[in-house]
Amino acid sequence: MTRSIALGVLLAVGALSLAVSGYQSPSPAGPKVVEVENVKPNLFMLKGGGGNTAVFVGTSGVVVVDTKLPGWGQPILDKIKELTPKPVTTIINTHTHGDHVSGNVEFPATVDIVTQENTKTNMEKMALPTGVPASALGPNVFATSGGKGMPKRTFKDTLTLDQGPDRIDLFYFGRGHTNGDAFVVFPALRVLHAGDIFARKGPPLLDANNGGSGVLIGDTLAKAAAGIKGVDTVITGHSTVMTWADLEEYARFNKDFLAWVRSEMAAGKTVDAAAAEYKLPESYAGYANNPDRVKLNIGVIYDELKK
């Protein structure tokens, strides 16, 4: 009995760690409830079933940003039908992880799918994210669907879709959560969908297996904060809607963490010793404290700095 209880606690802690870190594993079968938050006129955030999904109702069709876990594509489509009779024309995936792209396969084959070019490469492999146990990954839906749901268009640094009030600007500023994190901007509404490079206020998931970087994520976020103009509202990967100031602060948080890790490494501290010493700075009060993720991130950064 004691062993069973201990195992249950470990599983619960592991699930919490994954959720806090910015990757959500498939949940047991049950009702798939999609919650809707109206962010701006014609722009909605759909919560539940993985990463936050944005639904932008344009003049002639609907653009969807991220499509959640396997089995959640149809619930997204059903919810969109409640919001508008217009068809879905485009999917934009912010990065490769299964809790943001797996619903792609349930959308009509006519839907255009757009990603940063590195994300397409990552989606062809669907490698296990760093620090995520294989049991939490779920099926590779693209392999089982014969490639349905894969990107049809990619971009390197920038791409603009449509024009006028329907305009959407896509940006890539470098490695961070992965090596293909797209920033999706709706200029007319002054809104950005950041995906999991800004999943929530707390330690990010640094997915080195998919090109992520703890050395560069702070700089990448700072470049986005400096390079993207006219935005005041940010849809995060897994948390609430936040402000532009929150994004700027998150860039500083990651830069400060890197500076601290560098000092620990210079002092000859092991990953375990550094992790045991880490304390969330008072200037980031309210941020999630995830010791498991902190330890993993220290390890990722140590590995990068040794190269």
Side-chain angles (χ1 to χ4, degrees):
M1 177 65 74
T2 302
R3 184 177 178 183
S4 297
I5 292 173
L7 178 59
V9 170
L10 285 172
L11 290 172
V13 170
L16 176 61
S17 177
L18 288 175
V20 172
S21 69
Y23 183 91
Q24 188 170 331
S25 57
S27 56
K32 293 179 171 60
V33 179
V34 177
E35 299 178 22
V36 179
E37 180 176 338
N38 192 181
V39 178
K40 290 286 182 76
N42 296 321
L43 181 63
F44 306 88
M45 182 172 77
L46 306 188
K47 297 175 286 186
N52 289 328
T53 295
V55 172
F56 178 55
V57 182
T59 302
S60 58
V62 175
V63 177
V64 175
V65 182
D66 287 349
T67 60
K68 305 189 183 296
L69 290 160
W72 283 79
Q74 190 58 52
I76 292 172
L77 284 165
D78 292 343
K79 186 59 65 174
I80 290 172
K81 288 179 181 178
E82 297 177 13
L83 301 172
T84 177
K86 295 177 182 179
V88 175
T89 59
T90 307
I91 291 171
I92 301 167
N93 293 129
T94 59
H95 64 289
T96 186
H97 290 155
D99 56 335
H100 291 258
V101 304
S102 295
N104 287 16
V105 300
E106 298 171 53
F107 282 72
T110 54
V111 173
D112 192 19
I113 302 175
V114 184
T115 69
Q116 201 277 337
E117 61 186 17
N118 295 331
T119 291
K120 180 181 180 181
T121 299
N122 292 337
M123 287 172 69
E124 289 169 351
K125 303 172 184 176
M126 292 303 286
L128 182 70
T130 300
V132 175
S135 60
L137 189 60
N140 181 338
V141 296
F142 304 115
T144 58
S145 70
K148 183 182 179 185
M150 287 292 295
K152 299 177 181 179
R153 277 198 289 170
T154 64
F155 71 99
K156 183 175 181 179
D157 297 314
T158 61
L159 178 67
T160 294
L161 306 177
D162 223 313
Q163 58 188 344
D166 293 338
R167 176 172 171 166
I168 299 173
D169 293 326
L170 308 182
F171 297 92
Y172 175 71
F173 291 99
R175 294 165 60 201
H177 174 61
T178 69
N179 66 353
D181 302 304
F183 293 82
V184 183
V185 179
F186 304 93
L189 302 178
R190 301 178 64 87
V191 176
L192 160 72
H193 193 316
D196 278 1
I197 197 166
F198 185 19
R200 56 172 50 78
K201 290 187 175 184
L205 190 160
L206 301 176
D207 184 6
N209 292 347
N210 284 287
S213 171
V215 172
L216 297 176
I217 187 172
D219 287 339
T220 297
L221 284 160
K223 289 176 184 176
I228 297 173
K229 307 298 183 182
V231 171
D232 49 41
T233 302
V234 180
I235 297 174
T236 58
H238 286 266
S239 187
T240 60
V241 172
M242 296 192 188
T243 68
W244 197 248
D246 291 322
L247 178 72
E248 294 172 325
E249 179 188 75
Y250 195 59
R252 294 193 296 272
F253 170 80
N254 282 281
K255 285 189 171 188
D256 288 350
F257 184 75
L258 171 63
W260 177 83
V261 172
R262 284 185 184 274
S263 68
E264 293 290 286
M265 188 175 181
K269 302 291 178 63
T270 65
V271 171
D272 286 343
E277 291 180 2
Y278 181 74
K279 293 182 180 179
L280 191 69
E282 292 182 2
S283 56
Y284 300 109
Y287 274 54
N289 185 16
N290 184 345
D292 291 339
R293 177 55 54 191
V294 166
K295 181 177 176 180
L296 283 165
N297 288 356
I298 293 170
V300 168
I301 292 172
Y302 270 30
D303 287 344
E304 286 188 78
L305 294 176
K306 290 173 184 175
K307 293 178 181 179

